């Protein structure tokens, strides 16, 4: 399918050259330093406990004055060895581990994991389940981008967008809670279907959210997109070119802002994404400002996908009709002996998998989220469960992006990458 | 199949891998004729170094290559005009346990041809070494460090191979190996004792503040006064 791009034609900083870099570089070259000043380089430690690192991330910076010479990220403070834990759990018991990785967009992780397991086992989920999962994933893309928007804005001193973003997130939290009973640790999916079907009135509440959310987005646009302070803090900062961006493994909005139109939903489509009408925003300069624009446009596109998904949401069962995979209903378990035995057997024995491995990438809110599962013949637990963490790979570019920028820009670059430490450390 | 004679570490005790079975048994039926253009290309370009190939999960091409030639073959996959795998999505490892080989797995994607490929290399337990691919893809930097940290695979030629998720001084081994107990090698009491004995100040001293493997000069206590301030 032909890729369509949204033109991001907004005013650039007049001090900027054609390549997107400022013509008057604020980075002090060594020769203009006054000789009598002591020019000893200094080491500064940021984090692990610091609000601007967006989690327990530690950055050791070598500074020349206020300019970053090198920056070394230290991670692992949240390491919980989820992948090792998964090897001791049956296929469905892993689902709660997945949403604890990216607690900013948990439903995407729930869905990605079971999609990979279903592909490995050759399970074809029902049409209703597919559309429901698309709705949940797009809703959580907005959810994740809103947190990024609020915290990034507050990092450059804009407080109001933070309040707007969190007000909207609160409404998505309510939708999460109505669907799963939990606000953050949703664990909504199961192999072969969902924990439960959508409750009554949920689609109505989602439509209500979709009707009013664009107004908030427009207000944030009004506050930030043309704002001179915001432009000054983001344009020409943390620039990366398209070849470098691919080579460094950037994915998601970070890659697309550098002008590479790679979106897993278009390039390796899953769940009939090729039949939805949406566009992939692609940036030009690969700086913090383009990353901002790409994410803002992605939220608009997600609203469109959500509306289309609601329109085509079919009826029918949400779980596959296979007693070896899906549990009987709770009511049946409590009233019918055969269903009780069926439930007991499925829980105690687990779902057997075929021999093989499966790597399934999907477009998460942070980038390409790949779930890799390896199973042995008849195994009810994975031999290996691996998450290809988009934030982990995105964060590894920070030494390159921040080199030569000011310390205050390092904070902006770190924020613009949209990382979540729960998934980096796993 | 493999050129080297199988040693006892290669013995399969529980369930065969597709690559371990030649043309017999139930697993052989899953081995199909190669149709993926890159697998065919690799077989034509490096006929002796392709150990096996299969199609996993219905449509995912997997190819096993010799670890000793991995860098050469991956470079060909990246640079050849018909392949152009410019994106290395993932590097990871798998330990099957029971003394079997540990495998290193590369997930490649070509943004030009829109084509994924999975490349796997078997490493015997007594020689967990493979060439680093950081020279080809920068994204391999942290991913290889993670495999080194969690599986103990050494990546020859990696510019900065140190632990990444576990602490630098972690002494219990490599957590994702199957012979590593879920709660760690040391008892809870020993783990607590070691944690309490840790000198937390050490994390902010010169030996820890290394950038790219070289120690940094850190202000000594004598020179930490501000400029213009009388040190006495």
């Amino acid at each position: 399918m032909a890729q369509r791009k949204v033109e991001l034609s907004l005013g650039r900083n007049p001090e900027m050259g054609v390549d997107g870099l400022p013509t008057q570089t604020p980075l002090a070259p060594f020769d203009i330093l006054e000789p009598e000043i002591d020019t000893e380089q200094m080491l500064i430690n940021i984090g692990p406990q610091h609000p601007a690192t967006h989690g327990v991330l530690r950055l050791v910076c070598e500074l020349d004055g206020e300019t970053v010479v090198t920056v070394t990220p230290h991670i692992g403070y949240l390491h919980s060895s989820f992948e090792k834990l998964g090897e001791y759990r049956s296929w469905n018991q892993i689902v709660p581990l997945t949403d604890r990785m990216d607690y900013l967009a948990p439903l995407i992780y729930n869905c990605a994991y079971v999609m990979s397991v279903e592909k490995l086992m050759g399970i074809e989920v029902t049409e209703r389940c597919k559309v429901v999962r698309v709705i949940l994933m797009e809703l959580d893309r907005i959810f994740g981008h809103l947190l990024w928007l609020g915290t990034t804005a507050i990092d450059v001193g804009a407080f109001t967008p933070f309040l707007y973003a969190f007000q909207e997130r609160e409404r998505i939290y309510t939708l999460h809670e109505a669907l799963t009973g939990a606000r953050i640790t949703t664990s909504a999916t199961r192999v072969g279907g969902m924990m439960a079907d959508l409750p009554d009135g949920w689609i109505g509440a989602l439509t209500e959210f979709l009707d009013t959310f664009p107004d908030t987005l427009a207000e944030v646009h009004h506050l930030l997109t043309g704002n001179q302070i915001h432009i000054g803090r983001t344009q020409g900062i943390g620039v990366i070119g398209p070849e470098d961006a691919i080579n460094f493994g950037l994915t998601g909005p970070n890659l697309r802002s550098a002008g590479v139109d790679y979106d897993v939903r278009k390039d390796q489509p899953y769940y009939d994404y090729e039949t939805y009408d949406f566009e992939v925003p692609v940036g030009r300069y690969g700086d913090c400002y383009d990353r901002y624009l790409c994410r803002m446009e992605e939220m608009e596109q997600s609203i469109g996908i959500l509306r289309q998904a609601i329109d085509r949401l079919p009826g029918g069962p949400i779980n596959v009709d296979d007693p070896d995979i899906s549990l009987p209903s709770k009511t049946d378990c409590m009233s019918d002996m055969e269903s009780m035995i069926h439930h007991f057997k499925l829980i105690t024995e687990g779902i057997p998998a075929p021999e093989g491995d499966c790597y399934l990438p999907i477009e998460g809110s942070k980038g390409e989220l790949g779930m890799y599962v390896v199973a042995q013949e008849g195994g009810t637990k994975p031999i290996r469960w691996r998450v290809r963490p988009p934030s982990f790979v995105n964060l590894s570019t920070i030494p390159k992006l921040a080199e030569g920028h000011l310390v205050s820009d390092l904070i902006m670059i770190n924020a613009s990458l949209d990382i979540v430490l729960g998934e980096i450390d796993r | 199949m493999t050129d080297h004679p199988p040693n006892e570490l290669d013995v399969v005790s529980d369930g065969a891998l597709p690559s371990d079975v030649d043309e017999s048994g139930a697993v052989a039926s899953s081995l199909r004729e190669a149709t993926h253009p890159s697998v065919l290309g690799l077989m034509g370009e490096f006929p002796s170094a392709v150990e096996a190939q299969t199609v996993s999960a219905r449509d995912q091409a997997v190819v096993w290559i010799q670890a000793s030639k991995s860098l050469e073959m991956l470079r060909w996959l990246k640079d050849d005009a018909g392949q152009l795998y410019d994106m290395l999505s993932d590097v990871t490892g798998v330990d099957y346990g029971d003394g079997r080989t540990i495998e290193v797995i590369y997930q490649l994607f070509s943004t030009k041809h829109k084509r994924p490929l999975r490349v796997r290399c078997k490493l015997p337990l007594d020689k967990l070494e493979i060439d680093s691919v950081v020279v080809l893809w920068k994204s391999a930097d942290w991913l290889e460090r993670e495999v080194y940290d969690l599986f103990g695979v050494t990546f020859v030629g990696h510019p900065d191979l140190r632990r990444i998720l576990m602490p630098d001084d972690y002494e219990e081994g490599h957590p994702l190996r199957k012979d590593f107990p879920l709660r760690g090698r040391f008892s809870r009491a020993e783990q607590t004792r070691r944690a309490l004995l840790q000198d937390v100040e050490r994390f902010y001293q010169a030996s820890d503040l290394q950038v790219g493997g070289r120690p940094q000069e850190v202000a000594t206590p004598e020179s930490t006064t501000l400029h213009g301030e009388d040190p006495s």
Side-chain angles (χ1 to χ4, degrees):
Chain A
M1 179 172 182
Q3 198 114 334
R4 288 194 294 159
K5 298 175 205 171
V6 176
E7 274 297 318
L8 301 171
S9 53
L10 284 142
R12 302 293 298 186
N13 191 341
E15 288 178 14
M16 193 158 300
V18 277
D19 53 351
L21 288 164
T23 46
Q24 291 173 324
T25 171
L27 319 176
F30 292 98
D31 54 341
I32 65 159
L33 286 174
E34 291 176 39
E36 62 269 24
I37 296 177
D38 189 355
T39 60
E40 181 184 306
Q41 297 197 342
M42 92 186 132
L43 272 170
I44 282 222
N45 179 76
I46 305 174
Q49 303 292 343
H50 192 284
T53 56
H54 295 209
V56 276
L57 166 69
R58 179 172 162 221
L59 299 168
V60 178
C61 315
E62 196 181 345
L63 302 183
D64 178 20
E66 231 185 310
T67 309
V68 175
V69 180
T70 52
V71 50
T72 310
H74 289 255
I75 60 171
Y77 294 94
L78 265 182
H79 181 53
S80 334
S81 214
F82 286 139
E83 290 173 3
K84 179 87 176 173
L85 284 171
E87 293 171 11
Y88 292 80
R89 277 160 169 72
S90 66
W91 297 108
N92 271 327
Q93 286 174 326
I94 293 176
V95 174
L97 296 179
T98 59
D99 47 39
R100 279 149 179 88
M101 286 187 183
D102 187 351
Y103 35 82
L104 309 179
L107 288 168
I108 298 183
Y109 274 63
N110 290 164
C111 292
Y113 165 70
V114 290
M115 282 164 71
S116 184
V117 175
E118 281 156 4
K119 178 132 204 233
L120 173 76
M121 295 182 178
I123 300 169
E124 188 70 32
V125 294
T126 60
E127 282 303 312
R128 181 174 174 82
C129 185
K130 278 185 192 174
V131 180
V132 166
R133 284 187 187 169
V134 166
I135 290 176
L136 298 183
M137 285 193 281
E138 293 304 324
L139 183 65
D140 266 29
R141 191 182 319 283
I142 296 177
F143 192 56
H145 283 0
L146 275 177
L147 185 122
W148 166 85
L149 175 66
T151 52
T152 307
I154 214 166
D155 275 353
V156 290
F159 192 70
T160 315
F162 174 80
L163 296 179
Y164 287 2
F166 272 67
Q167 223 162 18
E168 296 299 325
R169 285 193 97 229
E170 198 58 39
R171 300 170 68 192
I172 301 182
Y173 272 135
T174 312
L175 289 172
H176 280 179
E177 197 174 357
L179 175 67
T180 69
R183 285 155 57 86
I184 301 175
T185 51
T186 49
S187 308
T189 57
R190 296 290 181 272
V191 175
M194 305 292 293
M195 179 193 76
D197 205 341
L198 301 176
D200 290 340
W202 197 84
I203 289 292
L206 175 63
T207 316
E208 201 186 315
F209 169 76
L210 292 179
D211 287 342
T212 50
F213 176 59
D215 297 342
T216 313
L217 213 51
E219 282 187 62
V220 176
H221 260 304
H222 188 67
L223 283 170
L224 286 180
T225 308
N227 186 319
Q228 279 306 309
I229 301 171
H230 184 245
I231 287 176
R233 287 297 304 274
T234 51
Q235 287 192 356
I237 304 296
V239 178
I240 191 162
E243 283 83 22
D244 271 348
I246 294 177
N247 198 262
F248 272 87
L250 281 179
T251 44
N254 295 328
L255 176 66
R256 291 191 283 275
S257 71
V260 184
D261 57 353
Y262 173 68
D263 186 315
V264 186
R265 290 174 294 177
K266 292 276 190 195
D267 291 323
Q268 303 175 69
Y270 48 91
Y271 282 179
D272 307 326
Y273 260 112
E274 64 270 28
T275 62
Y276 290 89
D277 180 28
F278 70 104
E279 303 181 12
V280 177
V282 176
R284 256 172 83 190
Y285 300 98
D287 57 5
C288 292
Y289 188 70
D290 274 9
R291 280 172 223 144
Y292 159 80
L293 288 180
C294 278
R295 290 205 177 89
M296 292 295 276
E297 183 57 36
E298 265 184 27
M299 282 194 268
E300 308 263 9
Q301 297 295 331
S302 285
I303 296 170
I305 299 174
L306 279 167
R307 286 193 194 282
Q308 294 170 47
I310 290 172
D311 284 345
R312 67 165 75 169
L313 182 67
I318 191 115
N319 291 338
V320 290
D321 184 20
D322 184 344
D324 289 336
I325 297 161
S326 298
L327 289 172
S329 79
K330 198 76 183 171
T331 322
D332 286 349
C333 284
M334 293 303 180
S335 58
D336 177 29
M337 183 51 104
E338 277 70 35
S339 299
M340 181 79 172
I341 296 169
H342 172 204
H343 185 280
F344 180 78
K345 273 182 79 71
L346 200 53
I347 293 288
T348 50
E349 290 172 5
I351 306 167
E355 173 89 42
D357 56 350
C358 174
Y359 176 81
L360 187 76
I362 70 156
E363 186 69 31
S365 69
K366 315 283 186 293
E368 177 181 328
L369 165 64
M371 290 280 179
Y372 181 58
V373 285
V374 184
Q376 279 192 324
E377 185 64 43
T380 54
K381 293 171 185 169
I383 288 285
R384 173 97 169 95
W385 164 49
R386 154 80 179 167
V387 181
R388 188 268 179 199
S391 302
F392 179 86
V393 185
N394 288 350
L395 180 69
S396 70
T397 59
I398 203 169
K400 176 179 168 58
L401 294 180
E403 196 181 325
H405 285 293
L406 303 181
V407 184
S408 53
D409 294 336
L410 169 67
I411 300 300
M412 186 59 217
I413 290 165
N414 181 38
S416 76
L417 286 176
D418 191 15
I419 55 167
V420 51
L421 269 296
E423 172 235 87
I424 290 174
D425 295 341
R426 277 158 292 138
Chain B
M1 293 299 287
T2 52
D3 288 339
H4 56 83
N7 60 23
E8 72 275 7
L9 294 175
D10 288 324
V11 171
V12 179
S13 60
D14 179 20
L17 303 177
S19 56
D20 287 332
V21 181
D22 245 334
E23 302 297 331
S24 59
V27 181
S29 64
S30 71
L31 272 172
R32 300 171 203 173
E33 287 298 309
T35 50
H36 194 282
S38 305
V39 178
L40 292 172
L42 273 175
M43 285 170 151
E45 198 78 13
F46 306 93
S48 63
V50 178
E51 293 181 349
Q53 65 87 25
T54 186
V55 176
S56 203
R58 272 180 294 171
D59 54 1
Q60 300 184 350
V62 191
V63 60
W64 277 263
I65 63 171
Q66 258 178 30
S68 55
K69 292 210 178 122
S70 66
L71 182 62
E72 191 189 332
M73 295 169 82
L74 289 167
R75 176 172 282 135
W76 181 80
L77 282 175
K78 178 173 182 256
D79 295 336
D80 186 78
Q83 315 301 331
L84 292 177
Y85 285 95
D86 48 359
M87 185 184 276
L88 176 70
S89 299
D90 196 14
V91 181
T92 188
V94 172
D95 183 3
Y96 284 92
D98 299 333
R100 278 173 281 173
T101 49
I102 285 182
E103 299 191 17
V104 174
I105 294 149
Y106 301 90
Q107 313 280 0
L108 307 178
F109 187 78
S110 163
T111 56
K112 307 285 185 306
H113 300 299
K114 311 282 185 206
R115 208 161 56 198
L117 177 68
R118 176 149 68 248
V119 178
R120 304 178 62 148
C121 298
K122 293 182 175 188
L123 303 176
L125 288 179
D126 53 358
K127 192 171 179 293
L128 288 176
E129 266 184 21
I130 191 164
D131 285 327
S132 166
V133 295
V134 178
V135 285
L136 304 179
W137 297 282
K138 294 281 197 310
S139 55
D141 185 349
W142 280 25
L143 294 167
E144 286 184 349
R145 276 176 68 188
E146 192 185 325
V147 178
Y148 163 76
D149 186 1
L150 302 180
F151 286 94
V153 175
T154 307
F155 289 88
V156 180
H158 190 286
D160 185 21
L161 195 65
R162 13 181 207 113
R163 282 187 183 270
I164 185 163
L165 292 177
M166 308 304 286
D168 283 339
D169 56 353
Y170 189 68
E171 291 171 6
E172 297 183 49
H174 303 288
L176 277 183
R177 297 269 278 268
K178 288 286 181 197
D179 55 6
F180 186 94
L182 184 60
R183 293 190 171 194
R185 283 194 204 286
F186 300 154
S187 67
R188 272 293 149 97
E190 174 68 13
Q191 285 173 356
T192 313
R193 195 183 67 81
R194 281 173 186 253
L196 291 175
L197 277 178
Q198 266 193 341
D199 177 15
V200 288
E201 290 298 313
R202 188 188 59 80
F203 293 112
Y204 298 94
Q205 286 183 356
S207 60
D208 192 56
L209 296 172
Q210 291 195 350
V211 178
R214 73 199 150 87
Q216 299 298 299
E217 288 204 2
V218 190
T220 54
E222 295 82 55
S223 66
T224 47
T225 48
L226 293 170
H227 296 297
E229 198 179 304
D230 187 6
S232 64

